[in-house]
Amino acid sequence: PLANVIVDPSSRASGLIEMYGYGFGYNLGYMYGLSDRSRIGLSFRSSSKINFRGRSEWYLDDLKARPVVGTSIVSLLNNDGNQDLGDFLGDYLLPETTTKAVFNVPARLSISYFSALNDKTDLMLDYTFIKSSILDELAVGFGIEEDSNGKRVILADAKIPLKWRDSYKASLGINHHINDATTLKAGFQYDKTPIPSKEFRHPALPESDRYMTSLGFNHRINKNLSIDGAYSLLVFEDSKSEYRNKCRFNNPEDSSGSCTGIGGTFRGEFSDTYANIISLQINSRY
């Protein structure tokens, strides 16, 4: 409530959290030849825990207090009588500090099939199960800093609840060998979104079911050199968001503990979303 009195609603502020991390995992695979023309493959990619470290930056220069009332309150809260709201927040509430986070990359299990239908055409199928329910939330922890009075400024974690469910992708591919040097390729892929409902579709990550169609080619220049080219159209299914940030003034609505957030509900619709992808690759064998 005090913020509504102090902050000029026409002003703005933003923040940036930049982090780098590392993790370890492993891949296992097995392929079995059913015949001279067909084979089946099974592969597993383990989950991996990525440990991130970084730093937060807050851009508060354009955050202004309301004339008279807001600036007067800010000057009273500041030791030196400074009326700048950005300076006050940067010193007492939002200091730039170290950050840390842990991100879990889901495990994947794939089964694939290849068959040479004839001397010219190959058929490929793939189904991949993704253990995306491991992603329950995204949380960034902040380090402890001191304000100008020497008091510790403690920011609780910034959290985005995900509550993702397990997902999968299925794909179909065809190769057509024009001759020994040139192969045309086509494929289709469907990705099931892990987001369970519009209540968990965060505006920064408006994930939805995806469909991708691809056309490409491989051309062998000589025994050791070849080139690949492809065009893909990626289409996102229309979706809605009604995401609510339950954290407000470090006081969450549920029993999840303290948090850093400003509360509020985002309602929106995402439609006609697509991407055109063009790729070119040169392969060299030594």
Side-chain angles (χ1 to χ4, degrees), residues 18-22 50-54:
E18 188 172 21
M19 295 188 290
Y20 301 89
Y22 63 90
I50 312 297
N51 293 282
F52 287 98
R53 295 292 184 273

Side-chain angles (χ1 to χ4, degrees), residues 116-136:
L117 301 179
N118 51 53
D119 293 339
K120 291 288 188 180
T121 306
D122 305 325
L123 173 68
M124 294 156 287
L125 302 172
D126 175 86
Y127 174 85
T128 299
F129 171 79
I130 307 169
K131 190 63 178 177
S132 44
S133 59
I134 194 175
L135 294 171
D136 188 60

